[in-house]
Each structure stands twice: as C-alpha cells, then as structure tokens.
Amino acid sequence: MAASNIALEILTPHGSALPLREGEKAKKRRVSVDVPGVDAPGLKGELGVLPDHVPFITPVIPGVVRFRDGAVDRRVAVGTGFLEVTADGRVVILTERALDSAEVDVAAATSELKDVSAELSKEFGSIDAVEHRKLSDQQAWLEAQLRAAQA
Amino acid sequence: MGSLKEIRNRITTVKSTRKITSAMSRIASAQLVKAQNAATSARPYGDRLEEVVRDLLNAIDADAALSPLLASKSEIKTVGLVVLTADRGLCGGFNANVNRATKKFVRDQEALGVKVEIVACGKKSHSYLRHEDIAVASKHPSPDLKTIVDVAKSVCTEVAAMFTESKDTGLPHVDSFFMIYNHFKNVLVQEVTTLPLLPFQPAEGEVSSLPPVFEPDPASLLDHLLPVALQSRVQQAMFNSVASEIASRRMAMDSATDNASELIGDLTLEYNRERQAAITKELMEIIGGAEALK
C-alpha cells in the first residue's frame, strides 16, 4: 500500500527552518512535517517528490520549495543545498539558509536586490571574480525570497 | 602605607571595576546559553552533510581527480590559513592562544620554505598579525551568531578561489588550506584546534550500506556538494569559536570579579587598621598633652 504522506525536514545551520504554525514559538520550531508531496528547485529544473520515492540525492539551487501543510499552502525560500530522500522515506532538504514566505521582508529584499543587481551589472569593471560570485549568490538568494513572498 | 584618603580612593576604584566585570560575566552567561543552542542546532545539518559527502565519495572511484577541491598538490609551496579570533578582548586566553598558534604555524612553515597566506577573521588577529609583521591576504570581521552564515560564505568563496584558481582573482594562489580556531569542548575547556580544510578530506565514519541514487550523476553532484560541505565545516568552526569566546569571557570575568572582591577585602582591612592607628595616635597625643600640663 502506498503511503499517502511523506515526512519533510528542512535543515539549515540555524536548525530546522519549517514554517511556523499559528501560535508556534520560533524557538520550538517543529523538526518534521507530514506532507502529500514537495516541489523543490533542482539543479536540472523544478522537481516534485511524492511518497514512496526511491532514495536519492540531488542538488538544490536557490529558489522556492512548495508543499501543503495541512490546509495551508507553504512556500519557503531556500538557498543552495541538497534534497535527499532517505531509505526510510523522509525528504530532507539541507540548505545553507531558508526563510518562510511569511517571514520575508519584501521591502528590504527589494532594495537590497536593486543594489546588488546594480553592482553586478558593472560586470567585472571594478570588481573581481570572487566578489562577483559573492554578489551573484546574494542576488539568487534575494530573488528566491521575493519569489516566495509573491503569489 | 598609604594615607586614609588614598586607600579609600583605591577601594572605590576597585569597586567600580568589579561592577563592570560582574556585569560582563552576567551578560556572557546569558549569551552562552544562546550560543550553545545555536551550536547544537547547527550540528544535525553538518553531520548529515558529512554523511552525504562520505556516501558520495564512496560511490565514486577515489583515484579519479573529479573536483578541483579534492586534488592534493604534489608540491606545496604556499599554505593558506584561516584564523578565527574575536573583535573584542577581555576574554582570557581566547585571542592570545589562537594568535600564538598562528605565529607558530607561520614560523614552522617558513622554516620549511613554505609561504603562508592568511585569511584573518576578527580584529584581534588583524592587529596582532600587523604587530608581528605577518602579511594578511584578506580580512573579515569576526562572526557573531547572526552573521555566521554570511561570513562563512564569503570566507569560503575566497578560500575555494585561492585554492583552485590563481588568476583573475587578485588573491594569492595556495596549495593547501588550514584553519585555526577555538574548539568548544565544554564551558570550561576550549581547545585551539588546527583543522585541515583543503584538499577536502571526508570525515571518518561508516558508509551507508545501501547507497542512494545520485541525480544527475555523482561527479556533477560532487561539484555542487563540496563547496557546500566546505562552508558547513567553516560554519561549524565559527559556531565553536563564538561559543568559546563567550565561555572564556565569562570565565575571565568571573575570576576578575573574584579577584576584585578579594582585593576590596584586603584594602578594607588595611583601611580600618590605618584608621585605628590614626585614632590611637591622636589619643596618645591628647594623653601626652594632658600629662605635660600636670
């Protein structure tokens, strides 16, 4: 019999990053949530994971992870990382940072994105390759936040 | 023996110093819990990532030079070193220990004819290295709990660039990378640790018996994974360093408070003795004067 739900974990260096339920304290964030399926931004494009998936590992790029949490649709912005389906059928997203759409500060992210993009569009003029990489990472992360916050 | 007024002044001075040190110690105690929690909640992420790397490297033939981050150089001419200290002092041996280890590392490598390029985090290492005339390739602020991810990211980008590329970055090229930081063993013990960063070595441990499917393929996955794993290691070290800084500050301030209390006790005793002596002296003078009048 196929399981109807799959356990999802989002792990970051700051601990679990699952969206807060109503009235839930940030300190006591839940570690795992049962979801019918997960959509995540994979290296080769958007990918969906449903219950009873074969164990596998794939890279995740900055983007939006979507899943249904009970009656609520959740959107979480994630940074670079990995999606792993474990042998016991859990989905673990390991990412350097993650932010629930409700926690995104749209105004701050928009203005920072503008600054970063302006800096980037100078294109190697005054900045070196390392700086360029740092900026484009930051840009991807800010865009992911905004995409999670919109719609 | 100083005069009464002098002793009184000293007591006031020590008392106000004690106020500062005990406040600092109390602040550090409160922060310590937070830092420890942060370090604990970071561990599952780091551990899981290490497991993935191990599985992945096991699934790939080890001899193939897959990722430039794994390649060990045959001849080592330049060694990179990441140094983690704090921005502020008054935390016991925390900064001094790391700085001393750094100096020793640099001198040892120089004796072998190897050049050392330093990536320094924290003002205390910047000023120390300047004082010792040791060149620093790049400087970063000391991370705190909120900025760890960002600082780790920019340090790692630089480290990886210095290791893999030599041109276009404006940074020196290095053949291997180490990191010196304070490892948080427990509240009382912090250990200066030298950790090899690059070429990347997988951690020891069991490999999963049933390797998962790797998507798209192990090699390109590895290219994506190694920078993240490197960053996670640097982050773990930073979490350790932050917790160590706070723990050693608390310890240093605790003992400073104790010392101040002891000093106040001694000074008060001396003050009273001096006061008594003054009174006795005055009495003697009065009695002497009365005797003379007879």
Side-chain angles (χ1 to χ4, degrees):
Chain A
M1 203 189 90
S4 58
N5 274 338
I6 187 164
L8 169 72
E9 295 172 22
I10 300 181
L11 275 180
T12 71
H14 291 300
S16 171
L18 286 171
L20 293 169
R21 279 170 300 187
E22 212 165 302
E24 194 177 33
K25 295 249 172 63
K27 271 185 188 167
K28 293 189 177 154
R29 224 174 254 270
R30 61 207 154 142
V31 187
S32 164
V33 58
D34 280 337
V35 295
V38 191
D39 280 332
L43 187 62
K44 295 263 165 98
E46 200 82 358
L47 68 103
V49 179
L50 293 172
D52 286 332
H53 201 289
V54 71
F56 89 130
I57 295 176
T58 192
V60 167
I61 56 170
V64 184
V65 171
R66 284 191 300 267
F67 55 92
R68 205 163 167 75
D69 173 17
V72 199
D73 273 322
R74 301 285 196 189
R75 307 161 62 81
V76 180
V78 294
T80 315
F82 284 84
L83 182 141
E84 186 192 12
V85 181
T86 58
D88 54 356
R90 288 175 301 135
V91 185
V92 184
I93 297 177
L94 293 167
T95 174
E96 54 186 15
R97 42 198 172 186
L99 203 60
D100 179 25
S101 57
E103 294 171 53
V104 174
D105 182 348
V106 180
T110 315
S111 75
E112 200 188 337
L113 180 61
K114 221 162 109 193
D115 293 348
V116 171
S117 303
E119 191 71 19
L120 266 177
S121 61
K122 286 184 201 157
E123 220 31 272
F124 298 103
S126 57
I127 51 177
D128 56 37
V130 177
E131 194 58 30
H132 186 269
R133 203 169 312 157
K134 281 183 203 163
L135 285 171
S136 53
D137 276 356
Q138 186 64 17
Q139 187 185 33
W141 166 237
L142 290 167
E143 279 170 359
Q145 283 185 46
L146 289 176
R147 251 183 295 142
Q150 285 155 12
Chain B
M1 285 292 121
S3 74
L4 279 177
K5 194 166 187 298
E6 251 171 55
I7 299 175
R8 215 163 37 221
N9 281 344
R10 278 189 67 195
I11 292 178
T12 327
T13 320
V14 179
K15 267 190 183 157
S16 59
T17 311
R18 184 176 64 174
K19 249 185 220 159
I20 297 169
T21 56
S22 77
M24 282 182 81
S25 148
R26 250 176 262 159
I27 292 168
S29 303
Q31 285 176 335
L32 187 58
V33 181
K34 237 189 195 171
Q36 266 178 303
N37 284 344
T40 329
S41 57
R43 209 159 289 147
Y45 172 81
D47 289 352
R48 196 74 207 103
L49 209 53
E50 292 286 344
E51 280 170 39
V52 174
V53 176
R54 214 153 52 215
D55 282 355
L56 188 58
L57 287 175
N58 194 49
I60 305 172
D61 279 334
D63 45 67
L66 282 161
S67 167
L69 291 182
L70 284 168
S72 52
K73 312 281 166 73
S74 51
E75 194 188 3
I76 291 176
K77 284 187 199 144
T78 324
V79 174
L81 183 67
V82 180
V83 181
L84 277 187
T85 60
D87 275 345
R88 295 184 302 157
L90 288 182
C91 43
F94 176 83
N95 294 314
N97 289 345
V98 167
N99 285 336
R100 211 176 305 129
T102 308
K103 187 178 166 191
K104 187 170 178 298
F105 184 93
V106 173
R107 300 284 178 249
D108 286 354
Q109 295 293 334
E110 275 173 353
L112 295 171
V114 178
K115 210 171 156 244
V116 182
E117 297 291 349
I118 294 180
V119 176
C121 297
K123 281 183 192 150
K124 287 289 158 183
S125 64
H126 303 169
S127 55
Y128 177 81
L129 294 171
R130 188 171 350 109
H131 181 249
E132 290 288 328
D133 267 338
I134 299 172
V136 175
S138 93
K139 285 179 185 171
H140 292 273
S142 158
D144 61 39
L145 287 179
K146 280 190 191 128
T147 57
I148 279 183
V149 174
D150 293 327
V151 177
K153 208 170 169 62
S154 67
V155 168
C156 284
T157 318
E158 272 180 25
V159 164
M162 283 162 89
F163 186 71
T164 51
E165 303 150 29
S166 49
K167 291 166 200 149
D168 322 325
T169 55
L171 290 166
H173 179 74
V174 297
D175 302 312
S176 74
F177 242 106
F178 291 86
M179 180 168 201
I180 293 184
Y181 70 102
N182 274 293
H183 190 80
F184 184 80
K185 279 190 114 173
N186 56 46
V187 180
L188 295 176
V189 183
Q190 294 91 37
E191 233 176 28
V192 176
T193 312
T194 309
L195 177 84
L197 280 182
L198 289 173
F200 197 88
Q201 302 282 336
E204 303 274 314
E206 292 259 315
V207 173
S208 317
S209 49
L210 216 126
V213 177
F214 296 109
E215 179 78 30
D217 61 288
S220 40
L221 189 51
L222 199 61
D223 283 344
H224 188 83
L225 177 80
L226 283 177
V228 181
L230 175 68
Q231 202 180 316
S232 149
R233 279 195 186 170
V234 173
Q235 263 165 21
Q236 299 281 351
M238 285 181 175
F239 274 117
N240 268 297
S241 176
V242 169
S244 302
E245 179 195 340
I246 294 168
S248 53
R249 173 163 298 128
R250 197 191 72 168
M251 232 165 43
M253 288 302 113
D254 257 355
S255 61
T257 310
D258 288 350
N259 288 345
S261 302
E262 205 175 299
L263 193 57
I264 289 169
D266 288 353
L267 283 173
T268 313
L269 193 66
E270 197 184 313
Y271 176 77
N272 287 340
R273 211 176 273 150
E274 202 70 7
R275 194 174 54 113
Q276 199 110 47
I279 293 168
T280 316
K281 208 175 126 206
E282 264 172 45
L283 270 178
M284 296 289 278
E285 274 164 13
I286 293 167
I287 293 166
E291 284 295 317
L293 282 178
K294 269 184 194 168

